[in-house]
Amino acid sequence: EPEVTQTPSHQVTQMGQEVILRCVPISNHLYFYWYRQILGQKVEFLVSFYNNEISEKSEIFDDQFSVERPDGSNFTLKIRSTKLEDSAMYFCASRLQGSEGYTFGSGTRLTVV
Amino acid sequence: QQPVQSPQAVILREGEDAVINCSSSKALYSVHWYRQKHGEAPVFLMILLKGGEQKGHDKISASFNEKKQQSSLYLTASQLSYSGTYFCGTGPSGGSYIPTFGRGTSLIVHP
């Protein structure tokens, strides 16, 4: 069964450092997303990406965040200057159509120290 | 607007049934249901797109009551593998069709 692949599975970074989280969505999917989940809390929407541009973003997705789809397969989330409160599990998701459910990747656990 | 899920937690014995509810204060056009096991990604269960729609596979089904602005997830004859946290996601909200997820319902199935 096709899956969404995320790397790395765990990243530890110092406050103020830049991190890039990587995702390979399912190849024929058209819509791509980043979500985050702080430990024990609900899954929160960050950003959606369609047709090579951001289609929606939440209040969490401020100027410190950016996304790219550099080569038609990878989908990355960059956090420019990490803060302690950025520590969370970051999930990438994709779907073929807007009317379908998401396929989530296994996540990247980001720990900012 | 975040949907409200109830109950917050359910503890069952194998073979028992459970119902998880998801309510919204705003009109709903779609409801997603996901199950997340500890330390893993949420797994898509089903999406309901029309009021009155019902769906299911195996012994897990869901209904969508547009008038009541709520959806219910039914787990019948629960198995140990059903344990996890169940999230509903509802949309649209604020002009966005991105679902907003609830806080989740923790389901524990004991042998």
Side-chain angles (χ1 to χ4, degrees):
Chain A
E1 192 169 323
E3 54 183 35
V4 175
T5 306
Q6 287 187 246
T7 54
S9 57
H10 192 183
Q11 178 142 8
V12 181
T13 189
Q14 290 206 324
M15 195 166 55
Q17 295 294 305
E18 174 183 288
V19 294
I20 297 176
L21 310 183
R22 302 180 193 279
C23 170
V24 179
I26 294 174
S27 60
N28 64 336
H29 282 190
L30 302 176
Y31 296 80
F32 313 114
Y33 307 85
W34 283 101
Y35 281 81
R36 78 172 186 193
Q37 186 177 33
I38 295 170
L39 189 63
Q41 298 188 25
K42 69 183 178 83
V43 177
E44 299 176 294
F45 168 70
L46 294 178
V47 66
S48 62
F49 196 86
Y50 171 71
N51 203 23
N52 286 320
E53 60 183 20
I54 291 174
S55 48
E56 286 189 60
K57 57 184 180 179
S58 71
E59 292 173 353
I60 303 168
F61 194 87
D62 61 21
D63 292 343
Q64 294 300 311
F65 291 87
S66 62
V67 288
E68 269 193 335
R69 189 161 159 78
D71 55 13
S73 62
N74 290 286
F75 179 49
T76 61
L77 175 70
K78 183 194 289 187
I79 309 174
R80 286 192 186 81
S81 179
T82 49
K83 303 188 277 279
L84 294 176
E85 54 265 37
D86 292 330
S87 294
M89 181 73 90
Y90 287 80
F91 290 109
C92 173
S94 68
R95 54 181 174 174
L96 178 59
Q97 297 176 24
S99 58
E100 294 187 350
Y102 295 111
T103 301
F104 283 91
S106 54
T108 293
R109 178 162 296 287
L110 178 67
T111 304
V112 183
V113 296
Chain B
Q1 195 84 20
Q2 178 184 324
V4 176
Q5 288 187 234
S6 62
Q8 285 188 319
V10 183
I11 300 175
L12 300 172
R13 292 210 174 275
E14 223 174 343
E16 292 181 337
D17 301 341
V19 180
I20 299 171
N21 298 304
C22 175
S23 299
S24 174
S25 59
K26 298 196 171 186
L28 294 180
Y29 295 94
S30 67
V31 180
H32 297 225
W33 284 99
Y34 294 82
R35 176 172 60 216
Q36 184 179 31
K37 292 186 181 287
H38 183 69
E40 299 181 11
V43 173
F44 173 68
L45 295 176
M46 62 193 82
I47 183 171
L48 298 100
L49 296 173
K50 291 184 292 190
E53 185 174 23
Q54 294 196 5
K55 276 190 178 179
H57 54 85
D58 290 335
K59 293 176 181 169
I60 299 176
S61 61
S63 63
F64 181 11
N65 188 320
E66 193 177 4
K67 273 189 177 178
K68 292 185 179 179
Q69 296 172 182
Q70 72 178 37
S71 175
S72 296
L73 186 72
Y74 306 94
L75 299 105
T76 307
S78 56
Q79 304 167 17
L80 296 177
S81 61
Y82 287 3
S83 293
T85 299
Y86 290 78
F87 290 97
C88 69
T90 57
S93 175
S96 165
Y97 283 85
I98 303 293
T100 302
F101 289 99
R103 300 190 74 87
T105 294
S106 175
L107 182 82
I108 300 171
V109 182
H110 287 298

